[in-house]
Amino acid sequence: MNGRSKHLPADERRAATVEAVVDLAAEQNPNDITTTAIAQRMGLTQGALFRHFPTKDAILQAVMSWVTERLLARVDKAIEEAASPAAALEAVFMTHIDFVSDHPGVPRMLFGELQRPGETLPKRMAQTLIRHYGERLHTLLDAGKARGELHADLDPEAAATLFIGTVQGLVMQSMLAGDVTRIRSDAPGVFAIYLRGVGASS
């Protein structure tokens, strides 16, 4: 962020704040991000930041809304453009991988919120995102079974859990390697193994 942040309209300032938090989360533990650090990244005072977000939780809520809107919009577009349920599963998988590669701070934010003790609105928003994502996977998996692309006795709940867990595993491996770019090169081979496991026909 640069000095331009000081003169943004309110909506753009809020969007710039979300961007700053996602960027910071790619560099450090999201739980350690302070409002001071956010303001400094944007070239603002804390007072200017709090004119748009009264609390840090309000900032986190905006981040979760941004993630939910952007990720699910990309997923829905991938599903709409796919020729079959199996093709849609692959498109969703690669779309998710691309999203994480473009915004490496996002999975760290999600993991951080899901691990927070107690109930908070940002945590509930993260849980809701996972649920809505899972519902889309269930629909695709059921459609794949109906078209004979997937095993007739496939458990959609287990298959959806494995799908999400596979993405999360790739994310964790890239974090451990300290190289988020490897997630794109690793993803096709990993998805091919998943697809064989759920019984998609070649």
Side-chain angles (χ1 to χ4, degrees):
M1 286 291 158
N2 54 41
R4 181 175 172 272
S5 301
K6 298 178 181 178
H7 309 292
L8 293 177
D11 286 349
E12 290 185 36
R13 174 71 57 75
R14 294 188 187 96
T17 304
V18 168
E19 181 183 337
V21 174
V22 172
D23 287 347
L24 285 167
E27 303 166 7
Q28 65 184 90
N29 184 336
N31 292 331
D32 295 336
I33 297 173
T34 64
T35 53
T36 299
I38 298 168
Q40 288 177 344
R41 176 60 65 99
M42 299 177 68
L44 301 174
T45 64
Q46 283 197 76
L49 181 63
F50 284 133
R51 280 199 291 273
H52 298 278
F53 295 98
T55 63
K56 183 180 177 182
D57 255 17
I59 296 173
L60 296 177
Q61 290 166 31
V63 172
M64 289 300 111
S65 291
W66 182 91
V67 172
T68 298
E69 178 184 330
R70 300 299 192 285
L71 178 57
L72 292 183
R74 288 197 191 189
V75 165
D76 288 341
K77 186 172 185 291
I79 293 171
E80 181 181 339
E81 294 177 351
S84 70
L89 283 172
E90 181 173 11
V92 169
F93 191 90
M94 296 309 301
T95 292
H96 194 159
I97 292 299
D98 285 342
F99 185 78
V100 168
S101 185
D102 291 341
H103 307 288
V106 166
R108 299 180 74 170
M109 293 290 299
L110 287 171
F111 290 150
E113 288 306 317
L114 292 170
Q115 293 176 48
R116 284 176 75 178
E119 285 295 323
T120 66
L121 182 53
K123 181 177 181 178
R124 289 198 298 274
M125 293 171 75
Q127 292 168 333
T128 299
L129 167 59
I130 298 298
R131 185 175 71 251
H132 288 168
Y133 190 103
E135 288 168 354
R136 286 160 168 79
L137 294 177
H138 274 256
T139 298
L140 290 178
L141 292 161
D142 284 336
K145 289 174 63 176
R147 287 184 55 161
E149 293 185 323
L150 308 180
H151 284 305
D153 60 353
L154 180 70
D155 180 348
E157 182 74 29
T161 298
L162 180 59
F163 185 103
I164 294 171
T166 302
V167 174
Q168 291 172 336
L170 282 167
V171 170
M172 292 302 297
Q173 288 296 320
S174 71
M175 287 181 179
L176 290 171
D179 179 14
V180 73
T181 61
R182 66 174 285 177
I183 196 171
R184 277 193 169 111
S185 59
D186 291 346
V190 171
F191 181 78
I193 294 171
Y194 172 82
L195 204 55
R196 286 197 295 273
V198 297
S201 58
S202 56

